[in-house]
Structure formats: structure tokens, C-alpha cells
Amino acid sequence: MTSKVMGTGSYVPENIVTNEDLAKLVDTSDEWIVSRTGIHERRIAMDEGTSAMAAEAGRRALENAGIGAEELDVIVLATTTPDNLPPSGACEVQAALGAVNAVAFDIAAACTGFEFALTMVQAYVQTGVYRTGLVIGAECLSKIVDWTDRATCVLFGDGAGAAVVRADESGVIHSVLGSDGTKGPVLTCTSRSTGNFLNGREPKLGYVYMDGQEVFRFAVKKVPECIRRVLDESNTDINEIKYFVLHQANLRICESVAKRLHVSMDRIPMNIGAYGNTSGATVPILLDELNREGKLERGDKIVLCGFGGGLTWGAVLLEW
Ligand code: ACO
């Protein structure tokens, strides 16, 4: 048994922040941001947090799948920006949707979160533990970005994407996931973990720090490598793949991956221009757009691929 995507949904906040808006905040320009990243604008949450965005994406995915919330056995929310610790964001989604029969929990794998979560649900489905799952990637990165740091604040946005999967004959075919904790320091955000009454240190909240060039080098090497592996290990020819749905971190990274894989950019859909990098949410938001635009037909093979903090990376080959 595999987990087949039965429906998708996404949600982004209404509030649009353009490059020109950011140029009033920090020393940057539309030209710099577009030429380095491909980003024109991003959505920034005003009042909604990660759980509310995740719940709305989940509700839309259930509607798209024609499946009731009470039919869900498991909800996995991939996020690095949960609203609370605890409850998990997934439990808040469960409550908001009325998914009374589901177990719900979060996982943290940064920009690869959706691929990790989908692979986990696939393992549950394959082993008969659960039958119907809701997999969500949702982030409210605006609350962990330093809005005075031009090197990072121009890159990120908020949003959520979700997929409902159900046990079926065809669906997720194969996954390749990886982590390298020794490279963790190139992309970090410290949380409130350093202080307690014994050491006398104040709990400190940090902001996103990134060694952009190091992440760039890692991505352009690792993404083609793990896509090739997922294809090789499943005896799939690259020409069978209709779309490579890549994490939207940077247009130049995706163009470099296209070159290295010898595939044209029309097989690598992009929406980074409109949303920026929403970390674990980019892949499911893009997947939802492809689905709703009618670009996916049953039987199509696609590869989802993420990479990011941890460092982590992962590719999931699936039949639509
Ligand atoms: N506007 C204007 N100038 C800027 C900005 C900005 N927003 N940010 C940095 N600069 C300046 C720097 O200060 C530096 O100036 P200097 O030469 O006077 O010191 C100059 O631009 C070049 O800085 P670099 O960091 O070398 O810029 P680079 O060309 O590497 O581009 C970028 C930065 C876009 C982040 C690039 O490294 C990149 O694409 N990295 C990939 C990582 C990525 O996309 N991460 C996204 C999040 S992580 C993830 O999703 C996995």
C-alpha cells in the first residue's frame, strides 16, 4: 500500500509586502532582490499564526479531496515556527478541523519538513498503522526574521500548504531523505533554551542566521544528487517525470538544478516570485497550485524535493 494524494490545499496571508516596501525598511533594492533570488513580493501574516494558516490549508485540502475531517487517522504538521510549545500546531489544527479520530503531532525538518512528514505518513500507511493522513507544511517565518537584517529579511514569507493522503495501490513510490547535523551552524535560529535558574542566564530569543553562499553550494550539489538517487533506486527514467516540485528558496538554485539534471525549466514550476521562501510550506503550496490549475493528471509522476536547515534534504517520487 502507498499513500496517494487525494487532495491539496494552501493558504497565504492577504498582506503583500513588496521589495519596494522592504527598501523603505532596510538598505536594499528591488533590482538586488529580484536578480539574486527571483522574489518580487511575499505574504506576511498580520494576525494569523502558523496553526491558523495550517488549519485553513488543511480544511481546503480536505474539501479538495472530498474527505471528512473525522476520517483522518493522523495529522503531521511540519513546521519550525510553531505558535506554542505545547500544544503542538498539529493538535491545534486537529481541534480547528474537528478531526476527532486523528493523532496529531509536529515535526521539525525546516525547509525539508513536508518531504519528511509525507515519508513518515507513507510509512504508517505502508505498514497498515494508519489509512488516511493530513500532511501540512506551515511557517510563520516573519516572527523569527530580523527585520533589520537585509541579508535575510528579504528572503522569507509566511504561508501553509497541505495534502490529504489515503492508502491506495499507487501513490508515493520512493523517498530519499538525509541529514547532516555537522553543517547545522550554516542556517540557524536559536530558541529560548539557554537560560534557567541554575546558570543565571536570561532565556534568549534569536533570529534566523544564514551563511547564504554555503547554503547555496549545499543546495546545488545535494538537490540533483538526491533526485538522481530517488530515480535510480526506483528504476525510474528522468524523462518519466512531469514536474520537479522543488523547494522555493531561490530561483538561481532551481535554475542550477535544472542545468545539472539536464531538464528544462518548464518542468520545474516556480512561484517564489509571489511568496518568497516559506520554508516547509513552499512545496505543498506549489503542489496545490499545480493541482488547482489542472496541471496534474492521474498517473503523472512527479518529484517533490526539499533542502534546508539541519542541514536536511529529501526527495519524494510519487504517482499522482
Ligand atoms: N540588498 C542589498 N545588498 C545586500 C542584501 C540585500 N538584501 N543582502 C546582502 N547584500 C549585500 C551584502 O552585504 C554584500 O555586500 P558587500 O559585498 O559590500 O559585503 C553583497 O550584497 C553580497 O552579499 P552575499 O551574501 O555574498 O550575496 P549573494 O550573492 O551570495 O546572495 C543570497 C545572497 C541571495 C542569500 C545567496 O547567497 C543565496 O541565494 N543563497 C542561497 C541560500 C538561500 O536561498 N537561502 C534561503 C533560505 S535557506 C533555505 O531555504 C534552505
Side-chain angles (χ1 to χ4, degrees), residues 27-28 32 36-37 111 150-151 154-156 187 210 212-213 215-216 247 249-250 252-253 277 307-308:
D27 182 14
T28 191
W32 194 96
R36 295 295 215 288
T37 69
C111 309
R150 68 177 182 174
V154 302
L155 303 174
F156 299 103
L187 184 47
M210 182 182 65
Q213 294 188 1
V215 175
F216 197 101
H247 170 46
N250 188 307
R252 289 189 302 150
I253 291 177
N277 179 348
F307 55 93

Side-chain angles (χ1 to χ4, degrees), residues 145-159:
V145 161
D146 178 354
W147 289 99
T148 65
D149 175 18
R150 68 177 182 174
T152 51
C153 77
V154 302
L155 303 174
F156 299 103
D158 300 330

Side-chain angles (χ1 to χ4, degrees), residues 26-178:
V26 290
D27 182 14
T28 191
S29 65
D30 180 56
E31 194 280 327
W32 194 96
I33 301 170
V34 173
S35 64
R36 295 295 215 288
T37 69
I39 300 167
H40 293 269
E41 57 190 40
R42 68 286 294 142
R43 303 298 181 96
I44 300 294
M46 290 292 278
D47 301 317
E48 63 269 74
T50 299
S51 299
M53 293 192 287
E56 185 53 27
R59 195 189 59 72
R60 292 176 186 183
L62 284 167
E63 198 176 83
N64 186 242
I67 286 175
E70 68 293 343
E71 295 177 62
L72 291 173
D73 303 315
V74 60
I75 299 172
V76 184
L77 169 60
T79 186
T80 38
T81 50
D83 297 331
N84 306 296
L85 296 169
S88 69
C91 282
E92 294 186 308
V93 169
Q94 180 203 19
L97 297 178
V100 289
N101 297 309
V103 293
F105 56 93
D106 291 359
I107 64 155
C111 309
T112 325
F114 189 76
E115 291 71 28
F116 275 48
L118 181 57
T119 301
M120 180 187 278
V121 170
Q122 158 65 11
Y124 282 137
V125 167
Q126 197 172 352
T127 50
V129 177
Y130 300 123
R131 208 178 116 69
T132 307
L134 175 60
V135 185
I136 311 174
E139 303 284 4
C140 197
L141 293 161
S142 58
K143 67 186 175 196
I144 61 164
V145 161
D146 178 354
W147 289 99
T148 65
D149 175 18
R150 68 177 182 174
T152 51
C153 77
V154 302
L155 303 174
F156 299 103
D158 300 330
V164 174
V165 299
R166 176 163 270 180
D168 197 279
E169 295 298 316
S170 67
V172 171
I173 297 168
H174 189 50
S175 294
V176 167
L177 306 178

